[in-house]
Amino acid sequence: MKAFTRSLIVFLAAVLLLALPFQASKASAASAEDTLYAYIPMDIDEHWAYEALDNFVSADLLKGYTDSYGDTYLKPDLSISRAEFVSILVRALGLATEEAGKSFADVPAGKWYSEPIRIASSLGVVNGLTDTTFGPDELVKRGEIATMVVRAFESSVKFEGEAKSFSDVPDYFATPFIAKASQAGIVRGASATTFKPYANATRAEAVVMIQRALDLQKSDLPEDAVLTAVISEENAKETEAVNAEEYGKLGEIQAQYYTGYQLAASFWDGEDLAAMKEQGYKMAFELTAPASYEVVSKSNRFAVIHTTGGKINMKLEGPDMTHTEVIPTDATYYLKKMPDNSWKIYYMYEDDPEYSEDEFGL
């Protein structure tokens, strides 16, 4: 289960606000938490595909089902339709084109899936069940998924290695695509010798296949400096805004550098800090040790960065009290490439903090 993470600076402010003698903005926090619950599915914690499913949800690549209580469920073992799979594939790859695409009688304009099907068909990623029908509500088969994934990634992934031999894959349209997908490790079979090409694919299987392919995209890697700059700039701007007591800028800064789960998790806004100021409290941050950056992994569209060694001195002063702490900023950041080619943080979690200094003057 995810923790309710947020940026370091706003997180600390929120913690301190809970101890101060005034109420935070409960209405805005409540609505933000409602949004946050959409990123915390209730049914994937022990699932074999947890990592891929959780990553897709955090990055806004997969949506769940919300019940009457506001809880979100991904239903990972539910079969997935052709329209749903194509929509996820187009979203994950950021595919776009102005071409008309194929015309299918069962894909009317205005449907939630009409645009992704247009894009995918115009790029040659998908074909119809016939020349005139797509079958958007038909359940997608494992062989069909392998075919679409290979077509979508063939220009950005190297399909190398030895193809697996599956005893239950006949000589049909998907055979060469299943072979290529197995070469790259995108598919591994239902067992050591079988693939079950005609079996309905589940939502989890679909996500895992796409995630494996995304991890293999190395044709257009971002520079490390571009990725680390996102983190350092975001931290610097939040620090500057807090020190200048320009709390109204915090939401703008978060929207500039955050997306997906991380943006939803950063629900403490300037109203709470402004209320703190009205009560006579002043907060200041000072970077006492810069962080070192390690690029854990990166592909064309996603990256993981780990920061270590950074420390911030936080000082809170108010009526009859002074509070200071030296706080490590060690954390792991997950970034994604946006449609405008910028990079944003969609998930961040802090390493377990061990404060080296703690001074209270109350």
Tab-separated table of all heavy atoms in Angstrom, residues 91-153:
chain	number	residue	atom	x	y	z
A	91	ARG	N	-2.066	5.426	-24.498
A	91	ARG	CA	-1.743	6.333	-23.395
A	91	ARG	C	-0.326	6.090	-22.878
A	91	ARG	O	0.432	7.031	-22.625
A	91	ARG	CB	-2.758	6.130	-22.266
A	91	ARG	CG	-2.733	7.190	-21.174
A	91	ARG	CD	-3.761	6.894	-20.100
A	91	ARG	NE	-5.076	6.698	-20.661
A	91	ARG	CZ	-5.855	5.643	-20.423
A	91	ARG	NH1	-5.442	4.672	-19.635
A	91	ARG	NH2	-7.046	5.551	-20.970
A	92	ALA	N	0.051	4.825	-22.713
A	92	ALA	CA	1.363	4.494	-22.163
A	92	ALA	C	2.494	4.946	-23.072
A	92	ALA	O	3.543	5.399	-22.603
A	92	ALA	CB	1.458	2.991	-21.920
A	93	LEU	N	2.284	4.843	-24.375
A	93	LEU	CA	3.315	5.219	-25.334
A	93	LEU	C	3.248	6.685	-25.749
A	93	LEU	O	4.139	7.189	-26.437
A	93	LEU	CB	3.205	4.341	-26.586
A	93	LEU	CG	4.001	3.037	-26.550
A	93	LEU	CD1	3.569	2.111	-27.673
A	93	LEU	CD2	5.485	3.310	-26.650
A	94	GLY	N	2.180	7.349	-25.358
A	94	GLY	CA	2.008	8.735	-25.768
A	94	GLY	C	1.851	8.871	-27.269
A	94	GLY	O	2.324	9.838	-27.871
A	95	LEU	N	1.185	7.899	-27.893
A	95	LEU	CA	1.044	7.912	-29.344
A	95	LEU	C	0.121	9.037	-29.791
A	95	LEU	O	-0.893	9.325	-29.143
A	95	LEU	CB	0.488	6.571	-29.836
A	95	LEU	CG	1.341	5.334	-29.561
A	95	LEU	CD1	0.652	4.076	-30.087
A	95	LEU	CD2	2.724	5.481	-30.191
A	96	ALA	N	0.464	9.668	-30.899
A	96	ALA	CA	-0.360	10.752	-31.439
A	96	ALA	C	-0.142	10.858	-32.937
A	96	ALA	O	0.964	10.600	-33.438
A	96	ALA	CB	-0.017	12.068	-30.755
A	97	THR	N	-1.172	11.209	-33.652
A	97	THR	CA	-1.099	11.438	-35.088
A	97	THR	C	-2.359	12.152	-35.532
A	97	THR	O	-3.406	12.048	-34.880
A	97	THR	CB	-0.952	10.114	-35.871
A	97	THR	OG1	-0.914	10.393	-37.270
A	97	THR	CG2	-2.121	9.177	-35.588
A	98	GLU	N	-2.258	12.875	-36.625
A	98	GLU	CA	-3.419	13.563	-37.184
A	98	GLU	C	-4.052	12.762	-38.321
A	98	GLU	O	-5.048	13.195	-38.905
A	98	GLU	CB	-3.005	14.946	-37.706
A	98	GLU	CG	-2.455	15.882	-36.628
A	98	GLU	CD	-3.463	16.155	-35.532
A	98	GLU	OE1	-4.671	16.273	-35.844
A	98	GLU	OE2	-3.051	16.231	-34.364
A	99	GLU	N	-3.473	11.620	-38.647
A	99	GLU	CA	-4.003	10.796	-39.724
A	99	GLU	C	-5.394	10.274	-39.376
A	99	GLU	O	-5.724	10.066	-38.213
A	99	GLU	CB	-3.062	9.623	-40.007
A	99	GLU	CG	-1.670	10.040	-40.466
A	99	GLU	CD	-1.713	10.754	-41.807
A	99	GLU	OE1	-2.545	10.390	-42.646
A	99	GLU	OE2	-0.906	11.691	-42.000
A	100	ALA	N	-6.195	10.021	-40.393
A	100	ALA	CA	-7.597	9.633	-40.187
A	100	ALA	C	-7.736	8.248	-39.582
A	100	ALA	O	-8.630	7.987	-38.783
A	100	ALA	CB	-8.343	9.695	-41.509
A	101	GLY	N	-6.874	7.326	-39.942
A	101	GLY	CA	-7.019	5.973	-39.441
A	101	GLY	C	-8.087	5.213	-40.203
A	101	GLY	O	-8.735	5.731	-41.113
A	102	LYS	N	-8.284	3.960	-39.800
A	102	LYS	CA	-9.279	3.130	-40.464
A	102	LYS	C	-10.678	3.488	-39.984
A	102	LYS	O	-10.874	3.956	-38.865
A	102	LYS	CB	-8.992	1.656	-40.196
A	102	LYS	CG	-7.715	1.149	-40.860
A	102	LYS	CD	-7.583	-0.354	-40.702
A	102	LYS	CE	-6.345	-0.865	-41.437
A	102	LYS	NZ	-6.191	-2.328	-41.331
A	103	SER	N	-11.646	3.238	-40.847
A	103	SER	CA	-13.044	3.509	-40.507
A	103	SER	C	-13.729	2.200	-40.144
A	103	SER	O	-13.777	1.270	-40.947
A	103	SER	CB	-13.751	4.175	-41.691
A	103	SER	OG	-15.103	4.410	-41.382
A	104	PHE	N	-14.227	2.131	-38.909
A	104	PHE	CA	-14.916	0.934	-38.438
A	104	PHE	C	-16.362	1.281	-38.113
A	104	PHE	O	-16.634	2.271	-37.417
A	104	PHE	CB	-14.241	0.372	-37.191
A	104	PHE	CG	-12.809	-0.054	-37.411
A	104	PHE	CD1	-11.764	0.650	-36.829
A	104	PHE	CD2	-12.515	-1.148	-38.196
A	104	PHE	CE1	-10.456	0.257	-37.015
A	104	PHE	CE2	-11.201	-1.556	-38.397
A	104	PHE	CZ	-10.174	-0.846	-37.809
A	105	ALA	N	-17.266	0.467	-38.596
A	105	ALA	CA	-18.692	0.732	-38.401
A	105	ALA	C	-19.093	0.691	-36.935
A	105	ALA	O	-20.061	1.352	-36.534
A	105	ALA	CB	-19.512	-0.292	-39.194
A	106	ASP	N	-18.371	-0.086	-36.114
A	106	ASP	CA	-18.721	-0.224	-34.699
A	106	ASP	C	-17.883	0.680	-33.787
A	106	ASP	O	-17.839	0.480	-32.571
A	106	ASP	CB	-18.605	-1.680	-34.259
A	106	ASP	CG	-17.231	-2.275	-34.524
A	106	ASP	OD1	-16.408	-1.592	-35.149
A	106	ASP	OD2	-16.997	-3.425	-34.101
A	107	VAL	N	-17.223	1.671	-34.386
A	107	VAL	CA	-16.467	2.654	-33.596
A	107	VAL	C	-16.977	4.042	-33.968
A	107	VAL	O	-16.346	4.790	-34.734
A	107	VAL	CB	-14.949	2.546	-33.851
A	107	VAL	CG1	-14.192	3.540	-32.956
A	107	VAL	CG2	-14.463	1.130	-33.581
A	108	PRO	N	-18.132	4.432	-33.446
A	108	PRO	CA	-18.691	5.740	-33.786
A	108	PRO	C	-17.896	6.877	-33.164
A	108	PRO	O	-17.277	6.723	-32.105
A	108	PRO	CB	-20.113	5.671	-33.201
A	108	PRO	CG	-20.020	4.686	-32.084
A	108	PRO	CD	-19.008	3.665	-32.518
A	109	ALA	N	-17.907	8.001	-33.799
A	109	ALA	CA	-17.216	9.180	-33.278
A	109	ALA	C	-17.815	9.587	-31.934
A	109	ALA	O	-19.020	9.460	-31.707
A	109	ALA	CB	-17.331	10.327	-34.272
A	110	GLY	N	-16.973	10.059	-31.048
A	110	GLY	CA	-17.444	10.535	-29.757
A	110	GLY	C	-17.372	9.520	-28.640
A	110	GLY	O	-17.516	9.882	-27.471
A	111	LYS	N	-17.167	8.246	-28.961
A	111	LYS	CA	-17.015	7.233	-27.928
A	111	LYS	C	-15.660	7.412	-27.237
A	111	LYS	O	-14.703	7.919	-27.824
A	111	LYS	CB	-17.103	5.833	-28.538
A	111	LYS	CG	-18.507	5.412	-28.953
A	111	LYS	CD	-19.350	5.088	-27.731
A	111	LYS	CE	-20.684	4.476	-28.121
A	111	LYS	NZ	-21.493	4.127	-26.935
A	112	TRP	N	-15.549	6.968	-25.979
A	112	TRP	CA	-14.308	7.156	-25.228
A	112	TRP	C	-13.125	6.444	-25.884
A	112	TRP	O	-11.980	6.836	-25.699
A	112	TRP	CB	-14.474	6.674	-23.788
A	112	TRP	CG	-14.808	5.201	-23.659
A	112	TRP	CD1	-16.047	4.647	-23.572
A	112	TRP	CD2	-13.882	4.115	-23.590
A	112	TRP	NE1	-15.957	3.283	-23.457
A	112	TRP	CE2	-14.642	2.925	-23.460
A	112	TRP	CE3	-12.493	4.020	-23.621
A	112	TRP	CZ2	-14.061	1.662	-23.368
A	112	TRP	CZ3	-11.903	2.761	-23.523
A	112	TRP	CH2	-12.670	1.601	-23.401
A	113	TYR	N	-13.421	5.438	-26.685
A	113	TYR	CA	-12.340	4.684	-27.310
A	113	TYR	C	-12.100	5.039	-28.775
A	113	TYR	O	-11.179	4.512	-29.400
A	113	TYR	CB	-12.621	3.181	-27.212
A	113	TYR	CG	-14.012	2.768	-27.671
A	113	TYR	CD1	-14.365	2.758	-29.020
A	113	TYR	CD2	-14.975	2.382	-26.746
A	113	TYR	CE1	-15.635	2.385	-29.439
A	113	TYR	CE2	-16.247	2.002	-27.146
A	113	TYR	CZ	-16.568	2.000	-28.489
A	113	TYR	OH	-17.827	1.616	-28.899
A	114	SER	N	-12.901	5.922	-29.341
A	114	SER	CA	-12.775	6.203	-30.775
A	114	SER	C	-11.435	6.865	-31.114
A	114	SER	O	-10.816	6.546	-32.139
A	114	SER	CB	-13.936	7.090	-31.254
A	114	SER	OG	-13.982	8.319	-30.550
A	115	GLU	N	-10.966	7.779	-30.283
A	115	GLU	CA	-9.713	8.476	-30.568
A	115	GLU	C	-8.497	7.538	-30.464
A	115	GLU	O	-7.653	7.518	-31.371
A	115	GLU	CB	-9.557	9.676	-29.639
A	115	GLU	CG	-8.360	10.553	-29.932
A	115	GLU	CD	-8.423	11.285	-31.262
A	115	GLU	OE1	-9.425	11.154	-31.986
A	115	GLU	OE2	-7.445	11.995	-31.586
A	116	PRO	N	-8.360	6.754	-29.373
A	116	PRO	CA	-7.219	5.834	-29.330
A	116	PRO	C	-7.228	4.813	-30.459
A	116	PRO	O	-6.166	4.476	-31.004
A	116	PRO	CB	-7.352	5.139	-27.970
A	116	PRO	CG	-8.423	5.803	-27.247
A	116	PRO	CD	-9.099	6.787	-28.115
A	117	ILE	N	-8.403	4.324	-30.857
A	117	ILE	CA	-8.476	3.361	-31.962
A	117	ILE	C	-8.073	4.043	-33.273
A	117	ILE	O	-7.376	3.449	-34.109
A	117	ILE	CB	-9.883	2.751	-32.051
A	117	ILE	CG1	-10.127	1.828	-30.852
A	117	ILE	CG2	-10.057	1.971	-33.363
A	117	ILE	CD1	-11.532	1.263	-30.775
A	118	ARG	N	-8.490	5.291	-33.444
A	118	ARG	CA	-8.082	6.030	-34.651
A	118	ARG	C	-6.565	6.151	-34.714
A	118	ARG	O	-5.936	5.888	-35.753
A	118	ARG	CB	-8.704	7.432	-34.650
A	118	ARG	CG	-8.262	8.288	-35.857
A	118	ARG	CD	-8.606	9.753	-35.675
A	118	ARG	NE	-7.869	10.396	-34.603
A	118	ARG	CZ	-6.596	10.809	-34.695
A	118	ARG	NH1	-5.913	10.625	-35.822
A	118	ARG	NH2	-6.008	11.392	-33.670
A	119	ILE	N	-5.974	6.551	-33.594
A	119	ILE	CA	-4.524	6.740	-33.555
A	119	ILE	C	-3.800	5.425	-33.812
A	119	ILE	O	-2.881	5.351	-34.644
A	119	ILE	CB	-4.107	7.325	-32.189
A	119	ILE	CG1	-4.635	8.761	-32.037
A	119	ILE	CG2	-2.588	7.305	-32.025
A	119	ILE	CD1	-4.445	9.347	-30.656
A	120	ALA	N	-4.209	4.375	-33.099
A	120	ALA	CA	-3.524	3.089	-33.222
A	120	ALA	C	-3.679	2.493	-34.612
A	120	ALA	O	-2.734	1.922	-35.170
A	120	ALA	CB	-4.045	2.123	-32.164
A	121	SER	N	-4.855	2.628	-35.207
A	121	SER	CA	-5.062	2.057	-36.537
A	121	SER	C	-4.310	2.850	-37.605
A	121	SER	O	-3.785	2.276	-38.560
A	121	SER	CB	-6.558	2.016	-36.867
A	121	SER	OG	-7.108	3.323	-36.978
A	122	SER	N	-4.230	4.157	-37.433
A	122	SER	CA	-3.517	4.968	-38.423
A	122	SER	C	-2.019	4.706	-38.388
A	122	SER	O	-1.320	4.881	-39.391
A	122	SER	CB	-3.798	6.454	-38.186
A	122	SER	OG	-3.234	6.878	-36.966
A	123	LEU	N	-1.508	4.268	-37.234
A	123	LEU	CA	-0.084	3.970	-37.094
A	123	LEU	C	0.234	2.501	-37.384
A	123	LEU	O	1.388	2.076	-37.254
A	123	LEU	CB	0.386	4.330	-35.682
A	123	LEU	CG	0.330	5.815	-35.316
A	123	LEU	CD1	0.686	6.027	-33.843
A	123	LEU	CD2	1.261	6.632	-36.205
A	124	GLY	N	-0.776	1.732	-37.750
A	124	GLY	CA	-0.558	0.334	-38.084
A	124	GLY	C	-0.391	-0.576	-36.886
A	124	GLY	O	0.057	-1.716	-37.022
A	125	VAL	N	-0.772	-0.090	-35.705
A	125	VAL	CA	-0.641	-0.892	-34.491
A	125	VAL	C	-1.764	-1.910	-34.377
A	125	VAL	O	-1.567	-3.034	-33.895
A	125	VAL	CB	-0.613	0.021	-33.240
A	125	VAL	CG1	-0.632	-0.805	-31.955
A	125	VAL	CG2	0.617	0.917	-33.275
A	126	VAL	N	-2.967	-1.540	-34.837
A	126	VAL	CA	-4.114	-2.440	-34.733
A	126	VAL	C	-4.832	-2.538	-36.077
A	126	VAL	O	-4.789	-1.615	-36.900
A	126	VAL	CB	-5.121	-1.964	-33.661
A	126	VAL	CG1	-4.478	-1.902	-32.298
A	126	VAL	CG2	-5.730	-0.627	-34.024
A	127	ASN	N	-5.481	-3.674	-36.245
A	127	ASN	CA	-6.385	-3.894	-37.372
A	127	ASN	C	-7.752	-4.263	-36.822
A	127	ASN	O	-7.899	-4.479	-35.610
A	127	ASN	CB	-5.860	-5.020	-38.274
A	127	ASN	CG	-4.562	-4.657	-38.962
A	127	ASN	OD1	-4.406	-3.554	-39.464
A	127	ASN	ND2	-3.619	-5.592	-38.977
A	128	GLY	N	-8.719	-4.352	-37.655
A	128	GLY	CA	-10.047	-4.738	-37.209
A	128	GLY	C	-10.223	-6.245	-37.212
A	128	GLY	O	-9.389	-7.003	-37.719
A	129	LEU	N	-11.341	-6.688	-36.654
A	129	LEU	CA	-11.685	-8.107	-36.739
A	129	LEU	C	-12.056	-8.449	-38.173
A	129	LEU	O	-11.847	-9.575	-38.631
A	129	LEU	CB	-12.845	-8.420	-35.789
A	129	LEU	CG	-12.554	-8.237	-34.288
A	129	LEU	CD1	-13.806	-8.549	-33.476
A	129	LEU	CD2	-11.399	-9.132	-33.854
A	130	THR	N	-12.615	-7.443	-38.869
A	130	THR	CA	-12.884	-7.547	-40.304
A	130	THR	C	-12.470	-6.221	-40.931
A	130	THR	O	-11.978	-5.326	-40.240
A	130	THR	CB	-14.378	-7.801	-40.586
A	130	THR	OG1	-15.133	-6.623	-40.258
A	130	THR	CG2	-14.917	-8.981	-39.777
A	131	ASP	N	-12.717	-6.068	-42.213
A	131	ASP	CA	-12.370	-4.809	-42.881
A	131	ASP	C	-13.203	-3.640	-42.378
A	131	ASP	O	-12.788	-2.475	-42.496
A	131	ASP	CB	-12.555	-4.944	-44.393
A	131	ASP	CG	-11.502	-5.837	-45.021
A	131	ASP	OD1	-10.434	-6.023	-44.389
A	131	ASP	OD2	-11.749	-6.359	-46.118
A	132	THR	N	-14.380	-3.929	-41.812
A	132	THR	CA	-15.291	-2.841	-41.414
A	132	THR	C	-15.629	-2.823	-39.923
A	132	THR	O	-16.299	-1.912	-39.464
A	132	THR	CB	-16.601	-2.944	-42.204
A	132	THR	OG1	-17.204	-4.222	-41.960
A	132	THR	CG2	-16.348	-2.766	-43.700
A	133	THR	N	-15.178	-3.801	-39.169
A	133	THR	CA	-15.495	-3.833	-37.735
A	133	THR	C	-14.220	-3.995	-36.911
A	133	THR	O	-13.281	-4.694	-37.307
A	133	THR	CB	-16.461	-4.973	-37.390
A	133	THR	OG1	-15.852	-6.236	-37.721
A	133	THR	CG2	-17.772	-4.827	-38.134
A	134	PHE	N	-14.217	-3.354	-35.746
A	134	PHE	CA	-13.080	-3.447	-34.839
A	134	PHE	C	-13.343	-4.374	-33.660
A	134	PHE	O	-12.435	-4.997	-33.132
A	134	PHE	CB	-12.704	-2.059	-34.313
A	134	PHE	CG	-11.512	-2.080	-33.404
A	134	PHE	CD1	-10.227	-2.165	-33.932
A	134	PHE	CD2	-11.660	-2.040	-32.017
A	134	PHE	CE1	-9.120	-2.214	-33.093
A	134	PHE	CE2	-10.561	-2.079	-31.182
A	134	PHE	CZ	-9.281	-2.165	-31.717
A	135	GLY	N	-14.609	-4.456	-33.237
A	135	GLY	CA	-14.938	-5.269	-32.068
A	135	GLY	C	-14.444	-4.657	-30.774
A	135	GLY	O	-13.747	-5.321	-30.001
A	136	PRO	N	-14.793	-3.401	-30.490
A	136	PRO	CA	-14.265	-2.735	-29.293
A	136	PRO	C	-14.621	-3.425	-27.985
A	136	PRO	O	-13.851	-3.370	-27.021
A	136	PRO	CB	-14.882	-1.333	-29.377
A	136	PRO	CG	-16.090	-1.491	-30.237
A	136	PRO	CD	-15.734	-2.543	-31.235
A	137	ASP	N	-15.800	-4.068	-27.941
A	137	ASP	CA	-16.235	-4.714	-26.711
A	137	ASP	C	-15.826	-6.182	-26.631
A	137	ASP	O	-16.055	-6.831	-25.606
A	137	ASP	CB	-17.758	-4.608	-26.574
A	137	ASP	CG	-18.218	-3.160	-26.466
A	137	ASP	OD1	-17.512	-2.362	-25.820
A	137	ASP	OD2	-19.271	-2.828	-27.043
A	138	GLU	N	-15.220	-6.701	-27.691
A	138	GLU	CA	-14.739	-8.081	-27.669
A	138	GLU	C	-13.551	-8.194	-26.717
A	138	GLU	O	-12.719	-7.291	-26.634
A	138	GLU	CB	-14.309	-8.522	-29.069
A	138	GLU	CG	-15.429	-8.584	-30.083
A	138	GLU	CD	-16.347	-9.781	-29.840
A	138	GLU	OE1	-15.844	-10.819	-29.330
A	138	GLU	OE2	-17.538	-9.682	-30.154
A	139	LEU	N	-13.464	-9.303	-26.007
A	139	LEU	CA	-12.338	-9.504	-25.099
A	139	LEU	C	-11.074	-9.798	-25.896
A	139	LEU	O	-11.100	-10.616	-26.813
A	139	LEU	CB	-12.644	-10.648	-24.125
A	139	LEU	CG	-13.869	-10.426	-23.220
A	139	LEU	CD1	-14.072	-11.624	-22.310
A	139	LEU	CD2	-13.715	-9.141	-22.401
A	140	VAL	N	-9.999	-9.126	-25.556
A	140	VAL	CA	-8.764	-9.275	-26.310
A	140	VAL	C	-8.044	-10.556	-25.893
A	140	VAL	O	-8.031	-10.930	-24.718
A	140	VAL	CB	-7.860	-8.036	-26.124
A	140	VAL	CG1	-7.290	-7.963	-24.716
A	140	VAL	CG2	-6.747	-8.019	-27.159
A	141	LYS	N	-7.452	-11.232	-26.846
A	141	LYS	CA	-6.752	-12.497	-26.614
A	141	LYS	C	-5.263	-12.233	-26.364
A	141	LYS	O	-4.708	-11.218	-26.776
A	141	LYS	CB	-6.921	-13.441	-27.801
A	141	LYS	CG	-8.363	-13.593	-28.296
A	141	LYS	CD	-9.283	-14.107	-27.218
A	141	LYS	CE	-10.722	-14.260	-27.743
A	141	LYS	NZ	-11.675	-14.624	-26.671
A	142	ARG	N	-4.608	-13.195	-25.730
A	142	ARG	CA	-3.184	-13.043	-25.426
A	142	ARG	C	-2.353	-12.909	-26.702
A	142	ARG	O	-1.405	-12.122	-26.756
A	142	ARG	CB	-2.711	-14.241	-24.598
A	142	ARG	CG	-3.176	-14.187	-23.146
A	142	ARG	CD	-2.935	-15.496	-22.414
A	142	ARG	NE	-1.559	-15.959	-22.516
A	142	ARG	CZ	-0.553	-15.552	-21.734
A	142	ARG	NH1	-0.792	-14.638	-20.786
A	142	ARG	NH2	0.664	-16.043	-21.872
A	143	GLY	N	-2.714	-13.653	-27.722
A	143	GLY	CA	-1.999	-13.546	-28.993
A	143	GLY	C	-2.182	-12.191	-29.641
A	143	GLY	O	-1.258	-11.646	-30.256
A	144	GLU	N	-3.384	-11.611	-29.510
A	144	GLU	CA	-3.644	-10.286	-30.072
A	144	GLU	C	-2.826	-9.225	-29.347
A	144	GLU	O	-2.297	-8.292	-29.975
A	144	GLU	CB	-5.141	-9.969	-29.958
A	144	GLU	CG	-6.015	-10.830	-30.843
A	144	GLU	CD	-7.500	-10.589	-30.602
A	144	GLU	OE1	-7.867	-10.221	-29.460
A	144	GLU	OE2	-8.286	-10.755	-31.541
A	145	ILE	N	-2.712	-9.362	-28.023
A	145	ILE	CA	-1.929	-8.396	-27.261
A	145	ILE	C	-0.465	-8.439	-27.681
A	145	ILE	O	0.174	-7.395	-27.884
A	145	ILE	CB	-2.057	-8.670	-25.742
A	145	ILE	CG1	-3.379	-8.117	-25.229
A	145	ILE	CG2	-0.901	-8.055	-24.982
A	145	ILE	CD1	-3.527	-8.191	-23.730
A	146	ALA	N	0.084	-9.648	-27.801
A	146	ALA	CA	1.482	-9.767	-28.235
A	146	ALA	C	1.679	-9.097	-29.588
A	146	ALA	O	2.684	-8.409	-29.823
A	146	ALA	CB	1.880	-11.238	-28.300
A	147	THR	N	0.719	-9.264	-30.486
A	147	THR	CA	0.806	-8.667	-31.813
A	147	THR	C	0.812	-7.150	-31.744
A	147	THR	O	1.658	-6.476	-32.355
A	147	THR	CB	-0.380	-9.133	-32.678
A	147	THR	OG1	-0.339	-10.559	-32.791
A	147	THR	CG2	-0.334	-8.514	-34.065
A	148	MET	N	-0.114	-6.588	-30.996
A	148	MET	CA	-0.212	-5.129	-30.902
A	148	MET	C	0.990	-4.520	-30.198
A	148	MET	O	1.475	-3.444	-30.584
A	148	MET	CB	-1.513	-4.736	-30.206
A	148	MET	CG	-2.750	-4.947	-31.068
A	148	MET	SD	-4.273	-4.318	-30.301
A	148	MET	CE	-4.851	-5.778	-29.446
A	149	VAL	N	1.489	-5.177	-29.162
A	149	VAL	CA	2.645	-4.656	-28.438
A	149	VAL	C	3.875	-4.634	-29.343
A	149	VAL	O	4.613	-3.644	-29.381
A	149	VAL	CB	2.910	-5.488	-27.164
A	149	VAL	CG1	4.277	-5.145	-26.579
A	149	VAL	CG2	1.824	-5.222	-26.123
A	150	VAL	N	4.116	-5.702	-30.079
A	150	VAL	CA	5.281	-5.741	-30.974
A	150	VAL	C	5.165	-4.657	-32.039
A	150	VAL	O	6.139	-3.947	-32.332
A	150	VAL	CB	5.429	-7.131	-31.617
A	150	VAL	CG1	6.464	-7.106	-32.745
A	150	VAL	CG2	5.830	-8.156	-30.571
A	151	ARG	N	3.991	-4.500	-32.631
A	151	ARG	CA	3.812	-3.453	-33.652
A	151	ARG	C	4.063	-2.066	-33.065
A	151	ARG	O	4.683	-1.203	-33.709
A	151	ARG	CB	2.400	-3.521	-34.215
A	151	ARG	CG	2.140	-4.681	-35.170
A	151	ARG	CD	0.676	-4.726	-35.518
A	151	ARG	NE	0.355	-5.779	-36.479
A	151	ARG	CZ	-0.880	-6.232	-36.697
A	151	ARG	NH1	-1.903	-5.717	-36.022
A	151	ARG	NH2	-1.088	-7.182	-37.582
A	152	ALA	N	3.598	-1.848	-31.843
A	152	ALA	CA	3.722	-0.527	-31.226
A	152	ALA	C	5.162	-0.201	-30.851
A	152	ALA	O	5.570	0.968	-30.879
A	152	ALA	CB	2.828	-0.439	-29.987
A	153	PHE	N	5.943	-1.218	-30.511
A	153	PHE	CA	7.293	-0.979	-29.991
A	153	PHE	C	8.403	-1.369	-30.963
A	153	PHE	O	9.580	-1.242	-30.616
A	153	PHE	CB	7.491	-1.754	-28.683
A	153	PHE	CG	6.764	-1.181	-27.500
A	153	PHE	CD1	5.471	-1.574	-27.208
A	153	PHE	CD2	7.381	-0.250	-26.678
A	153	PHE	CE1	4.794	-1.056	-26.110
A	153	PHE	CE2	6.717	0.278	-25.577
A	153	PHE	CZ	5.415	-0.120	-25.290
